């Protein structure tokens, strides 16, 4: 599953522009007082104006061979979150991946993850730091995880992530390229354990050669096919 575009809410459009555009050097595709969009590798990250502060967890795929350089580069521009008492680096052997986490302008938990089962960019590509490849993950916060897993699979043909985990309150769907992290409302996000919150979001993705979109409004998932809520 390839995430093409992710649209989130923020109470601070100007702050989003400064953080993602000025600090992280992401190209600004479009920017107004009410919405701003950035190019993140092959994906687009957008923020629309909200009347209140929102909280999300999302991740970016980065090139494994540039992981250390990317970590140092972002550490100089953002607040890195410790993963454990001894290290800011998270090692996920079951996923064959490693990652680090940081706060953005509104203290969303952003993550850079290097997945070793994804192909590296070809050697001819210039060494670009922080080596963003695409948007990798977005947390989808729901009341009933099991029910949503079944309905998303039926409507969008997205499988459970074969590398797991499959827990009553947290299960990823998709593959190494892109994941929907289906999580229980109020379950803690790594690495801070701040409880997950339900806020509006929309994600466009390619699955089985079809471009689809999934929209979250007021804590409910809108299925565009028949305009009903999960």
């Amino acid at each position: 599953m390839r995430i093409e575009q992710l649209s989130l809410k923020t109470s601070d459009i100007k702050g989003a522009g400064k953080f993602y555009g000025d600090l992280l050097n992401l190209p600004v595709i479009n920017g107004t007082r009410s919405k701003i969009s950035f190019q993140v590798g092959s994906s687009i990250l957008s923020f629309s104006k909200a009347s209140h502060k929102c909280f999300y967890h999302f991740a970016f795929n980065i090139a494994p061979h540039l992981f250390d350089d990317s970590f140092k580069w972002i550490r100089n521009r953002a607040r890195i979150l410790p993963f454990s008492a001894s290290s800011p680096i998270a090692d996920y052997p079951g996923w064959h991946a490693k990652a680090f986490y940081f706060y953005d302008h509104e203290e969303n938990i952003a993550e850079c993850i290097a997945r070793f089962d994804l192909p590296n960019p070809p050697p001819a590509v210039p060494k670009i730091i922080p080596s963003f490849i695409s948007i990798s993950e977005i947390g989808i916060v729901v009341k009933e995880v099991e029910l949503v897993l079944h309905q998303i699979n039926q409507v969008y043909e997205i499988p459970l992530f074969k590398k797991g985990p499959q827990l009553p309150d947290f299960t990823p769907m998709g593959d190494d390229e892109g994941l929907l992290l289906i999580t229980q409302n109020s379950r803690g996000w790594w690495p801070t354990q701040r409880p997950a919150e339900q806020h509006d979001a929309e994600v466009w993705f390619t699955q089985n050669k079809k471009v689809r979109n999934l929209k979250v409004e007021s804590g409910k998932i809108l299925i565009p096919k028949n305009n009903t809520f999960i």
Side-chain angles (χ1 to χ4, degrees):
M1 186 183 79
R2 183 173 67 250
I3 296 177
E4 309 289 357
Q5 184 171 348
L6 175 62
S7 181
L8 306 174
K9 297 286 187 177
T10 181
S11 64
D12 187 3
I13 292 289
K14 188 176 180 180
K18 287 183 176 179
F19 183 83
Y20 289 97
D22 297 341
L23 289 179
L24 297 192
N25 290 341
L26 294 176
V28 177
I29 299 173
N30 184 40
T32 67
R33 292 183 178 180
S34 60
K35 185 176 181 179
I36 190 167
S37 300
F38 308 93
Q39 192 74 48
V40 186
S42 63
S43 305
I44 296 173
L45 175 65
S46 298
F47 289 94
S48 298
K49 181 69 175 178
S51 60
H52 57 281
K53 195 172 182 179
C54 300
F55 172 56
Y56 302 93
H57 167 59
F58 47 88
F60 308 116
N61 285 318
I62 61 172
H65 67 292
L66 297 177
F67 182 88
D68 292 340
D69 290 332
S70 297
F71 172 77
K72 293 174 185 177
W73 192 90
I74 290 183
R75 184 179 59 186
N76 291 330
R77 291 162 173 80
R79 180 182 169 188
I80 298 290
L81 301 174
F83 184 74
S84 67
S86 59
S87 176
I89 306 300
D91 186 22
Y92 295 115
W95 285 17
H96 200 200
K98 61 181 180 178
F100 61 88
Y101 299 80
F102 58 96
Y103 279 141
D104 73 355
H105 68 292
E106 204 155 50
E107 294 194 346
N108 294 305
I109 298 178
E111 174 187 356
C112 284
I113 184 165
R115 300 179 185 276
F116 294 92
D117 291 336
L118 284 178
N120 276 329
V125 174
K127 183 178 180 180
I128 300 174
I129 304 300
S131 71
F132 292 119
I133 297 172
S134 62
I135 295 174
S136 174
E137 304 169 0
I138 175 60
I140 305 295
V141 184
V142 300
K143 292 181 180 179
E144 297 183 49
V145 170
E146 186 175 353
L147 173 63
V148 171
L149 294 176
H150 174 74
Q151 292 180 313
I152 288 180
N153 175 260
Q154 291 295 307
V155 174
Y156 295 100
E157 301 175 330
I158 301 174
L160 302 183
F161 187 37
K162 64 181 181 181
K163 296 178 181 178
Q166 296 179 25
L167 305 174
D169 59 355
F170 175 80
T171 298
M173 304 184 76
D175 53 36
D176 283 310
E177 189 173 15
L179 293 173
L180 303 178
L181 306 180
I182 312 301
T183 192
Q184 188 84 33
N185 188 31
S186 298
R187 182 185 188 272
W189 285 120
W190 285 104
T192 66
Q193 293 304 313
R194 178 177 170 178
E197 299 176 9
Q198 293 179 317
H199 295 286
D200 292 358
E202 190 164 10
V203 56
W204 290 260
F205 56 90
T206 299
Q207 174 69 15
N208 294 337
K209 299 182 180 181
K210 300 176 183 177
V211 178
R212 307 289 298 275
N213 77 305
L214 183 150
K215 192 171 186 178
V216 182
E217 289 184 349
S218 303
K220 296 182 179 180
I221 296 177
L222 178 65
I223 300 176
K225 183 177 180 181
N226 52 17
N227 206 39
T228 61
F229 286 99
I230 293 176

